[in-house]
Structures are given as structure tokens and as C-alpha cells.
Amino acid sequence: MKSKPVVFLDSGVGGLPYLLEAKRKLPSRDFIYLADNKNFPYGGRDILSLKKIVHEIIGKALNAFDPEAVVIACNTASVVTLSSLRQKYGIPFVGVVPAVKPAAENTKNGIIGLLATETTVKNIYTDTLIRDFASDCSVRKFAGVKIVDFVENQLYQSNSMRTTKILQPAVTFFKKEKIDTLILGCTHFLFVKDTLKKMLGSQVSIIDSVEGVTTQLKKVISSCPEKPLETHRSRYTFYITGNRFDRSKYDVFLQKFELVWGGTL
Ligand code: DGL
């Protein structure tokens, strides 16, 4: 019997590095990637409106694709909506939240940086993660609002000088705070991880949640063959919301992540 797909949701392209690893771990599975372009960005939105937006789009996605599980491939949406989504729907939801525990295990000097959206930085769920897993550390937070927009809209049209310029305020802040470990608390930031690493220097470790999230996904869905099936070619389809978008902007992402265009949801 054909297995049901897994849906990934983010406000934009941020969740694609997570999807890439999920495809590697679950090669016989179909994946649907949903970029909520209509409501981009999620960061900075108030909790109630973001909850409404995410519940609405998840409702539509469940009707359209009947997935076995959903990955909320967005820290902002996860910290705000994960528990209510789990309560409402009877399928597994895997969240992407700041990797506070691995960061606390990694730090030597006890000073950790958190680079995330404004909503994630201020959210009570984030505070709870810090209290539960890093109570003996000092966590210095920076909201990288401009970085999100840069990755979503300009990354592949920009040169490395421009990328460095966009990251500079965050890097200056974290250097001043003397962090030795940085949590990438927004999926969009995975795209600039290498540049951040160069700018922060080898004494700072950068922690993301790709491995943890995809391992968790593999656990919650029904077992599937480790190798692609000869009888089924896995499909990786990219959908967006809304009707005001520049299709050419997405082509480069589709190519890089080997997805086919599904249209609008
Ligand atoms: N990629 C999202 C996250 O992980 C947020 C981007 C946005 O502000 O929409 O938080």
C-alpha cells in the first residue's frame, strides 16, 4: 500500500534544509513542502493572529494531502502553535524549536547565543526551554529580522559582501557578549550558517536542530523502507500560498532542493 506523505510548513523557504535531511533519512516517502508566502514573515506577528494563520493553513493542508505527519519547519510557528495543533488533530506534529538542550551541553563558558525571530526570542515557550535545559547558562538573544527577509528574498541574487553586511549586527552583538555557542533558532538561518561560522570564528560552535528534528520524524511515522522503492518514485512537491509571488524566485530553490512545483494551495 502506498504510504501517506509528510507535510512540511514554513513561512517561506526556511524549512528546506530540514526537508533535505528528511528526504535522505526517508527515501521512500513522498514529501509536500508548503511555503506560506501569503503570510510571510511569521516573526513579529502577535500570538493570536499567528495561531489563526497556522491553524487555517494546516486545516487546508490536511484536507488536500491527508498526510501521515506534519513538520512545523519553523521555530516561530512551533513555539506558538505546536501544543494547540497537537490537541486539535490526531496525527503527529514534529516541531522545530531552538536547540537549547544541545547548546547547554556544548557550552564551556556558559554563555549561549540565540539567533531567532522577534516572536521566538520573546516567547514563553523559549523561556521555558531555557529554564528547563539551560538554567545554569546565560542566554543572550538577538532577533535577526533582516536576515529572514534577506534569505527569503535576496540570498541567491546577492554576493558574499552583502551577506556579510546583513549578518554583521548579529555577529557584533554575539562577539561582544562572548558567547561560545550559538543556537540557530530560525530555520531560515541555516542558509547562512557557513558565513556566520566564518564571521564568528572557530571558537564559537553553531547548533541547529536538523538532526534532532529529522530523527524524531523518522520515529513518529510508520516504518518505511530504508531504500527508495523500485515500484514507487518518491515525489517532493513545493506549494505556496497566496497569488502575489515571483515564481522565478522559487526556481533556484526548487532546483537546489530537487522539488517540483505544485502551485498554490
Ligand atoms: N523560518 C521561521 C522560523 O524558523 C521564521 C521566518 C519568519 O519570520 O517568517 O522561525
Side-chain angles (χ1 to χ4, degrees):
M1 200 181 79
K2 191 170 163 293
S3 55
K4 290 179 175 186
V6 173
V7 163
F8 273 60
L9 170 71
D10 182 39
S11 60
V13 296
L16 289 173
Y18 287 75
L19 175 67
L20 191 67
E21 180 54 20
K23 279 161 60 176
R24 207 190 59 75
K25 283 198 170 70
L26 300 162
S28 59
R29 189 56 70 146
D30 291 343
F31 287 96
I32 307 280
Y33 188 92
L34 201 44
D36 190 8
N37 167 74
K38 185 175 152 201
N39 298 300
F40 175 88
Y42 283 174
R45 284 185 184 277
D46 68 85
I47 291 184
L48 281 183
S49 72
L50 186 52
K51 259 192 185 162
K52 190 166 174 280
I53 285 169
V54 174
H55 272 263
E56 213 171 282
I57 184 161
I58 288 297
K60 269 191 187 174
L62 298 197
N63 273 337
F65 308 117
D66 187 25
E68 181 176 349
V70 175
V71 178
I72 303 293
C74 171
N75 293 260
T76 312
S78 294
V79 297
V80 170
T81 63
L82 208 49
S83 52
S84 58
L85 289 169
R86 284 179 178 149
Q87 259 167 33
K88 183 161 177 188
Y89 299 104
I91 59 165
F93 281 85
V94 178
V96 174
V97 299
V100 175
K101 192 172 179 227
E105 284 162 3
N106 178 77
T107 183
K108 304 265 181 304
N109 72 357
I111 311 175
I112 297 171
L114 171 62
L115 183 58
T117 65
E118 209 183 327
T119 304
T120 303
V121 156
K122 288 185 184 156
N123 194 267
I124 187 163
Y125 190 109
T126 306
D127 290 340
T128 310
L129 285 175
I130 294 170
R131 196 196 58 214
D132 290 351
F133 300 114
S135 55
D136 54 345
C137 300
S138 169
V139 180
R140 316 287 163 96
K141 304 169 187 165
F142 189 94
V145 180
K146 287 193 180 152
I147 310 172
V148 175
D149 189 68
F150 173 76
V151 169
E152 183 72 23
N153 293 311
Q154 298 162 48
L155 185 69
Y156 292 125
Q157 294 89 51
S158 290
N159 55 25
S160 60
M161 240 167 72
R162 177 108 186 97
T163 310
T164 306
K165 196 168 168 220
I166 289 287
L167 298 177
Q168 195 60 60
V171 169
T172 304
F173 172 79
F174 289 125
K175 278 192 169 164
K176 197 170 113 273
E177 298 293 326
K178 302 206 176 350
I179 64 161
D180 73 352
T181 305
L182 176 67
I183 305 168
L184 295 186
C186 169
T187 55
H188 278 77
F189 301 162
L190 272 288
F191 284 90
V192 290
K193 187 174 176 178
D194 292 345
T195 313
L196 271 171
K197 180 105 203 110
K198 267 191 217 136
M199 292 173 78
L200 285 165
S202 55
Q203 68 283 8
V204 177
S205 317
I206 302 190
I207 309 274
D208 65 57
S209 55
V210 173
E211 188 52 36
V213 166
T214 49
T215 302
Q216 179 62 16
L217 175 64
K218 202 173 169 181
K219 263 190 215 153
V220 302
I221 62 171
S222 55
S223 63
C224 58
E226 295 283 333
K227 291 204 176 92
L229 297 174
E230 272 169 34
T231 48
H232 174 70
R233 197 158 179 274
S234 302
R235 290 177 58 83
Y236 311 123
T237 318
F238 183 92
Y239 289 84
I240 66 160
T241 59
N243 43 28
R244 296 178 55 194
F245 59 87
D246 170 12
R247 168 71 205 270
S248 66
K249 181 188 99 177
Y250 293 107
D251 282 340
V252 53
F253 289 101
L254 296 183
Q255 236 175 44
K256 273 190 185 298
F257 290 88
E258 295 178 0
L259 299 159
V260 296
W261 177 255
T264 53
L265 178 74

